Amino acid sequence: MDAKRCRTLRDQEKGNEDRLSALPDFILLLILSLLPTRDAIKTSTLSRRWDRLWTSVSTLKFHLPSEQKTLKDFITSVHHTLLLHESQRISKFSIRFYYKEKFASNVDAWIRFAIRKSVKVLHLDFTDRCTYTLGRDVPYAMPRHFFNNETFTKLKLNFCSFKMHGVQLSWKSLRKLSLRQIVLSDDMVNGILAGCPILECLILEQCSSLTFLSIHSAKLKSLTLCNMQNEIKIYASHLLSLTLSGYMHKAEHSIVDLSSLEYAKIDFNFMFFAFGGECEVEYFCRKLRNIIRNVCHVKTLAVCQSCVQVLTACEVYSIQIPILKCKSLTLETSFRKHELIGIASLLQNSPDLENLTIIASNLYGFWCESDLTRKHPVDEQRFWDSQTDAFSSSLHHLRTVRLYSFMSWGVESGCDIMDMSLGKLQKKIARELNLVKFLLTNFTVIERVDFHIKKDQNSKITKLRERIHTVSQAILACPKASSLVEVVFW
């Protein structure tokens, strides 16, 4: 038996066998492709097996780390890495750093490298969100050869400029396009859409100058508009999915045709309401009503917490929202008193609703809730009991309810429930329970209620487990309109 085999057997007996290194190259390369490139390079120090393995990885991700001393160091590091890279093709190339005009030639070289390697997914993010100042920084000018490519399947471009005069764009393989902080004229967008025959998803965020968006392609099914700088007239008869998000004061969109739309998400931020008076609140109530009117025919609707608050204001100001035709509704809420009326309004105006998903939010009101509750006092504890008659002709088709409780929050939610006092926990539990009990008690067609709560083996949440047990017992013990309803805790 040779010495190498003897060492291998001894390592196995001692439990020192390196099973990871024994994997074939294609699996190791797949693992490395999931890492930022700077971390993938560090694996070269593990052993001779890993020495130059990273140079064949198909995904390259260069994101300026916070500890990087200077942009010059970052530029040098990227150049050095690209010189050592040996793979003939790359599937994804991602660059994120705070662009300055003096680095234009460097970025030009990186893009040529990616295109030469037949890149499919390209992400270019040239803003530092902490220091970006509109009008003072100069965006990166995309080279003319960039607009004619047959390998791009996904493009995500942030803070670039398109100089397309005399250029006929052709991205024949592109399926998803995301543009952020880019000046886009109507003609430019028309040219982009004409040059992307199989484009399926378009995302526009903080883009200016666009006033008319006409989508004729039957392939393009999903559109997201976020914080757009201008009023946009939208014509998209083949569109299936629409997301409108950002600050409401920038959302003056006129929707001409969305006749095929099946899914809509309204995800606006109303933070500025804290500084506005009653006229401003009423003005934005009417704007939200108009948006809902344009998407009221969809089968699936998602509404954020801010919109739920505005819907409460709609009721206070007697602004009626249209009847919804959705069969599935998702809403976010904190279950606080200034949102209860908005929740009830949504549910009462959804006569065909079959599936309801409620996501507990840890955000508070963006305006002073006392202004609303003074005009329309709400008894938080008895609100749902008082709604029985109002719902007598509603929710006759509701089959399933899915509630993501605040007890499912983790630290990543920005609010660790283990830091809450027992009294605060009990109040939040009561708010959720009141709605669940109301639904179980009054609607005979409900077949299933899924209650998503936090499950963790950490001993730190022993107190929380007691609360969860209390909640589950309260729900199981409450009267139910249907004896066949199934209540499941996740």
Side-chain angles (χ1 to χ4, degrees), residues 305-316:
Q305 181 186 353
S306 295
C307 290
V308 172
Q309 295 171 6
V310 178
L311 288 171
T312 293
C314 286
E315 290 293 313
V316 172

Side-chain angles (χ1 to χ4, degrees), residues 97 99-110 112 140-141:
F97 80 110
Y99 172 79
K100 293 183 181 296
E101 197 172 8
K102 63 182 178 180
F103 299 129
S105 61
N106 302 107
V107 178
D108 288 344
W110 300 344
R112 284 196 301 271
Y140 171 70

Side-chain angles (χ1 to χ4, degrees), residues 136-318:
R136 191 166 66 188
D137 298 314
V138 177
Y140 171 70
M142 303 302 298
R144 292 174 70 89
H145 68 85
F146 180 80
F147 299 108
N148 195 323
N149 183 279
E150 294 186 355
T151 63
F152 294 153
T153 59
K154 293 182 181 179
L155 284 178
K156 187 175 183 180
L157 308 176
N158 189 353
F159 198 51
C160 306
S161 67
F162 286 6
K163 297 180 180 179
M164 297 174 58
H165 182 70
V167 175
Q168 186 172 357
L169 182 143
S170 179
W171 291 332
K172 294 181 179 179
S173 301
L174 194 67
R175 294 185 179 276
K176 183 175 182 179
L177 176 62
S178 176
L179 304 176
R180 183 175 185 268
Q181 292 180 351
I182 296 177
V183 177
L184 295 172
S185 68
D186 294 348
D187 288 340
M188 288 169 63
V189 172
N190 289 335
I192 291 172
L193 294 178
C196 303
I198 64 171
L199 187 67
E200 298 171 354
C201 177
L202 177 62
I203 301 171
L204 302 177
E205 181 179 358
Q206 289 182 264
C207 295
S208 59
S209 298
L210 181 65
T211 62
F212 184 75
L213 183 58
S214 181
I215 300 174
H216 298 285
S217 171
K219 295 284 187 180
L220 207 165
K221 301 298 185 183
S222 176
L223 173 66
T224 296
L225 299 176
C226 177
N227 277 335
M228 298 299 286
Q229 306 294 313
N230 301 85
E231 177 181 350
I232 302 173
K233 183 174 287 187
I234 304 169
Y235 177 92
S237 59
H238 298 289
L239 203 67
L240 298 182
S241 172
L242 174 66
T243 297
L244 300 174
S245 62
Y247 290 99
M248 178 62 124
H249 66 287
K250 296 178 180 177
E252 288 280 0
H253 305 318
S254 172
I255 298 174
V256 178
D257 185 3
L258 290 175
S259 53
S260 299
L261 200 68
E262 296 181 356
Y263 170 85
K265 181 177 182 179
I266 307 174
D267 188 12
F268 288 120
N269 191 326
F270 294 88
M271 226 162 43
F272 55 88
F273 268 16
F275 309 103
E278 288 188 16
C279 292
E280 185 181 41
V281 174
E282 187 172 356
Y283 169 70
F284 286 104
C285 286
R286 296 186 186 281
K287 287 183 67 173
L288 180 59
R289 178 197 59 188
N290 293 340
I291 291 172
I292 293 176
R293 181 180 293 155
N294 285 317
V295 300
C296 65
H297 62 286
V298 299
K299 295 178 181 177
T300 303
L301 178 65
V303 179
C304 71
Q305 181 186 353
S306 295
C307 290
V308 172
Q309 295 171 6
V310 178
L311 288 171
T312 293
C314 286
E315 290 293 313
V316 172
Y317 290 100
S318 301

